[in-house]
Amino acid sequence: MRRVYTVSQMNYLIDRICWLYDNRELIGGLKFETEGPHNFYDKLNSGNAVNVLVLGDGFAYGDGATNLEDSWSEQLSQKLGDAFKSNVFVNNYALAGDNGAYAGFVIANELTTDVEYDAAVLSFGSYDDQDTFPAFYEALIRALNKKFPGIEIISLIEPSSVTNPDGPAAANADAIKNITS
């Protein structure tokens, strides 16, 4: 099965990150230190380098892309770098095919702390069983927060949750909303 990724999906993610930064006072919970950039949004805004971890299924991996430069994770690096005049280093540990949040949990626990990740983009839900997905997804977020304190978690809702609202991806999208709210 071939998927087509659109620039609008990438623009949405960039817009979301910019909105979160611009409205940090409104939404609360984001603490910004006065001495130097310490978090993902401050580093981006200051033009400092950031490290982004991508975990997910075939969508995050870039299934269907004809080459690495066409994958959305590479586009994310390019577009955020251009928008914020910052070096954005993306490490994509997503797996091809129908992998789920449990695979992401296993990978997260195997990551070393050689790289200090500022943000993690999670893209799961299309292939996960809706009965086990919430537990695995929450465990993944907890593992990332424990291993990389202060990491910003950015959850993507799989496109199939919209295109197939009766499928498991829609239920898993609801679980993501509940877990991350």
Side-chain angles (χ1 to χ4, degrees):
M1 179 176 158
R2 182 178 168 96
R3 294 185 192 183
V4 177
Y5 306 108
T6 65
V7 173
S8 66
Q9 290 169 326
M10 297 313 307
N11 289 337
Y12 171 77
L13 180 60
I14 292 167
D15 288 345
R16 180 173 182 217
I17 291 169
C18 294
W19 186 92
L20 285 170
Y21 181 80
D22 292 342
N23 293 284
R24 63 191 179 279
E25 307 293 325
L26 174 69
I27 60 176
L30 299 176
K31 303 282 189 232
F32 293 88
E33 303 290 328
T34 56
E35 291 185 31
H38 296 287
N39 63 51
F40 178 62
Y41 303 106
D42 253 356
K43 286 180 179 180
L44 273 178
N45 196 49
S46 300
N48 291 28
V50 293
N51 293 304
V52 179
L53 170 67
V54 174
L55 294 173
D57 55 22
F59 176 75
Y61 176 79
D63 284 354
T66 55
N67 59 50
L68 182 61
E69 292 80 30
D70 292 336
S71 71
W72 71 261
S73 61
E74 288 301 313
Q75 292 181 37
L76 173 69
S77 175
Q78 183 71 34
K79 289 181 180 291
L80 282 178
D82 291 348
F84 288 95
K85 312 265 186 289
S86 177
N87 288 324
V88 179
F89 300 102
V90 175
N91 290 328
N92 189 343
Y93 285 95
L95 299 172
D98 58 349
N99 290 284
Y102 179 73
F105 172 74
V106 171
I107 292 169
N109 281 296
E110 294 296 318
L111 291 171
T112 64
T113 54
D114 295 356
V115 176
E116 289 185 32
Y117 289 107
D118 301 296
V121 179
L122 306 179
S123 179
F124 292 104
S126 283
Y127 306 104
D128 293 90
D129 178 273
Q130 63 191 34
D131 294 328
T132 59
F133 177 76
F136 292 143
Y137 197 80
E138 184 171 352
L140 168 58
I141 291 173
R142 289 180 184 274
L144 289 171
N145 281 320
K146 183 177 180 181
K147 188 166 278 196
F148 306 105
I151 192 169
E152 180 68 27
I153 306 293
I154 301 168
S155 298
L156 297 183
I157 303 294
E158 294 275 343
S160 58
S161 68
V162 176
T163 60
N164 183 14
D166 296 327
N172 292 337
D174 289 341
I176 290 171
K177 292 173 192 172
N178 289 334
I179 292 166
T180 59
S181 62

